[in-house]
Amino acid sequence: MESFMSTSLASEACASHPPHVEAGDVLSAIAAKRDGASLSAQSIECVVRGYTEGRIPDYQMAAWLMAVACRGMNDAETTALTKAYIDSGVRLEFADHRRPLIDKHSTGGVGDKTTLFVAPVVAACGVSVMKISGRGLDFAGGTVDKLESIPGLRIDLDHEQILEVLDRTRMVVVGQNTRLVPADGATYALRDVTGSVESLPLIAASVMSKKIAAGTDGAVIDVKYGSGALVGDIARAEELGRLMIRIGSAFGLPCRVVLSDMGQPLGRAVGNALEVKEALSALRGDQVPGFTELGHVLAVEMLCLAEPGLMRQAAEARVRDAVSSGRALAVFRAWVAGQGGDARVVGNPDLLPTATRVDVVPASWSGWISDVDARAVGKLALRLGAGRLRQEDRVDHAVGVVLRRRVGDEVRQGEPLAEVHWRGDADPEAVSAEATAAFTIDSRPVEPRSGVHSVL
Ligand code: URA
């Protein structure tokens, strides 16, 4: 039996419980959390439902989220929040013949185009991939915006279309919508503009609700740390990763967590069409620094989740073969066509949106690159139009930044640090200064940084 699961049971539960001092009163829930109390599952569910159904206004929900961000949540509360998010929408179910079905998610970063590489590679290895992706937020790009740079590609598929694409290509990527975890969609947008994005329980519930609602058999989560990530240091990233594994296991979803460095942008390209081009080049077998390594690690973990007992070495051999044989690229082409996109971009990436102006940013002195501030590069790309400064802004898919140097590279004065792809509609000196400031050049040699720290 394959269906969207209904959420009516959860709705009845909230309505039929006897009035509870926390449950009926969002103000007491805000105050209780502000004062460090833990909230009941019923209270959390009623706040989330009240907000999703429009009975709790933005200002109260923002206060509640901020209280959670400041005071934290224990595991029981985070699990209840995850459940409340899931119950706000439908939960996908898939028939046995489509299993195992594996998902992946990243906590967000700059130049993070891993889904575009990992999903076709894993699908080409015979494991189906189902992914719900989001749009860019602040300086961090989103997969949906990247995908929309492919002319015609649709991410708003209904259940029948999801199954059709999955059966044809073994991979499907859809955007979050009003039926898939809508409470998370609404809450995330509010968190984004009220300063409560960087809260571990809020991130964990947001990510895990989407993974659980997607109805897959396992999920690999790429938890990023560093200047371009939501979480600055590795200890907090590990805490977040372990929390997500516990939430997954509370819902019966096996998860693996990869901790990866977002101190510098991933790969070289930052900006929607530029990142699609870079993902295509990695699928053709080019070694994109930082990106190819992380893509392989994530793909290996996804295969090992799908096939318990599979050794990492054997999985790595499959991943390499999927790329070198051209099968992964063929899956990508079929998938683009399956979701209505112009598959000619695979053979001819120049069909993707292209900026009208490309400026090269030169190094002011010679040395070795010791830092490329991912957040600064992401903010520059955002201001060029690669993301949204306000929710209603239109994304310019062509613009962005391409790094010509990464951490550990040597550079001589006057040689390129980066290319800025833009429309020439801002002060060129300010743009160049902003790009230059993202790079730190040291007088002594610096070791290149590996992007992958560990797997939990
Ligand atoms: N990604 C999500 O989906 N949610 C968060 O809260 C952070 C990153």
Side-chain angles (χ1 to χ4, degrees):
M1 236 299 269
E2 200 147 28
S3 65
F4 281 119
M5 222 164 82
S6 119
T7 59
S8 56
L9 279 178
S11 309
E12 280 162 20
C14 187
S16 63
H17 271 93
H20 185 288
V21 65
E22 293 168 310
D25 183 1
V26 64
L27 267 186
S28 63
I30 295 168
K33 189 41 81 180
R34 178 200 63 204
D35 296 339
S38 54
L39 303 175
S40 69
Q42 190 191 7
S43 164
I44 292 168
E45 191 202 331
C46 288
V47 168
V48 170
R49 273 190 59 205
Y51 181 61
T52 315
E53 291 170 4
R55 283 176 285 105
I56 293 178
D58 279 354
Y59 55 84
Q60 283 186 322
M61 191 62 182
W64 187 85
L65 290 164
M66 184 54 77
V68 171
C70 293
R71 289 300 200 158
M73 275 183 158
N74 60 31
D75 277 18
E77 291 173 291
T78 312
T79 304
L81 181 61
T82 307
K83 182 173 183 311
Y85 282 168
I86 297 168
D87 289 347
S88 71
V90 294
R91 207 162 153 175
L92 303 183
E93 288 183 355
F94 295 91
D96 283 350
H97 71 272
R98 297 194 171 92
R99 296 183 177 283
L101 201 62
I102 302 293
D103 195 356
K104 81 152 268 278
H105 200 88
S106 148
T107 53
V110 179
D112 185 1
K113 73 266 325 161
T114 46
T115 294
L116 305 184
F117 175 81
V118 162
V121 167
V122 171
C125 292
V127 172
S128 299
V129 180
M130 157 74 201
K131 171 97 177 76
I132 303 173
S133 288
R135 294 192 180 279
L137 285 160
D138 197 2
F139 61 87
T143 302
V144 165
D145 294 329
K146 295 170 216 241
L147 294 179
E148 284 179 346
S149 63
I150 300 175
L153 194 117
R154 289 187 48 215
I155 45 93
D156 57 337
L157 307 184
D158 64 26
H159 194 209
E160 287 312 312
Q161 291 165 326
I162 288 175
L163 297 181
E164 211 181 296
V165 178
L166 198 56
D167 288 346
R168 217 177 318 151
T169 68
R170 279 197 191 276
M171 69 171 275
V172 64
V173 184
V174 292
Q176 189 173 18
N177 58 34
T178 48
R179 290 168 1 114
L180 287 170
V181 212
D184 170 59
T187 312
Y188 199 126
L190 188 62
R191 286 166 58 207
D192 191 38
V193 291
T194 55
S196 57
V197 169
E198 291 97 341
S199 148
L200 301 195
L202 294 180
I203 297 172
S206 164
V207 169
M208 295 311 296
S209 60
K210 288 188 280 268
K211 301 304 92 183
I212 293 153
T216 62
D217 300 294
V220 172
I221 320 279
D222 178 13
V223 177
K224 299 193 173 296
Y225 59 90
S227 79
L230 297 180
V231 177
D233 65 85
I234 185 145
R236 263 174 74 76
E238 183 167 344
E239 196 185 326
L240 175 60
R242 295 203 185 281
L243 172 59
M244 291 202 274
I245 291 171
R246 293 198 299 277
I247 301 292
S249 90
F251 288 89
L253 181 72
C255 291
R256 294 206 179 165
V257 167
V258 174
L259 300 179
S260 70
D261 176 25
M262 190 31 76
Q264 65 180 329
L266 187 61
R268 295 192 184 281
V270 178
N272 302 293
L274 294 167
E275 292 187 43
V276 174
K277 283 184 197 171
E278 187 164 71
L280 284 169
S281 101
L283 284 170
R284 270 187 233 104
D286 296 340
Q287 291 297 312
V288 180
F291 176 58
T292 300
E293 181 197 10
L294 178 60
H296 278 233
V297 170
L298 293 171
V300 163
E301 293 307 318
M302 288 169 80
L303 292 180
C304 291
L305 251 187
E307 227 177 280
L310 179 66
M311 304 298 284
R312 284 201 170 100
Q313 239 181 348
E316 172 62 36
R318 281 196 210 170
V319 167
R320 277 200 303 270
D321 183 57
V323 176
S324 61
S325 64
R327 281 186 285 117
L329 196 65
V331 169
F332 189 91
R333 185 181 288 113
W335 162 71
V336 168
Q339 291 197 200
D342 183 351
R344 291 175 308 157
V345 301
V346 175
N348 184 6
D350 290 341
L351 292 173
L352 290 163
T354 306
T356 48
R357 178 169 172 170
V358 180
D359 288 1
V360 173
V361 179
S364 310
W365 53 83
S366 304
W368 285 263
I369 308 297
S370 60
D371 188 36
V372 186
D373 183 341
R375 185 170 295 232
V377 175
K379 287 218 179 269
L380 173 58
L382 172 67
R383 268 192 290 279
L384 295 172
R388 293 174 196 77
L389 288 165
R390 285 166 308 198
Q391 270 181 341
E392 63 276 16
D393 285 349
R394 277 183 59 139
V395 165
D396 184 340
H397 293 103
V399 301
V401 179
V402 176
L403 306 184
R404 298 281 291 271
R405 293 290 189 284
R406 289 173 44 87
V407 171
D409 290 345
E410 189 175 7
V411 67
R412 289 183 193 288
Q413 187 179 19
E415 285 181 349
L417 289 174
E419 290 163 13
V420 179
H421 294 238
W422 61 314
R423 304 259 176 215
D425 47 1
D427 173 7
E429 278 181 25
V431 168
S432 173
E434 212 174 319
T436 309
F439 288 80
T440 307
I441 303 177
D442 212 308
S443 56
R444 282 164 305 180
V446 175
E447 283 295 307
R449 273 210 306 257
S450 164
V452 181
H453 184 272
S454 51
V455 179
L456 302 181

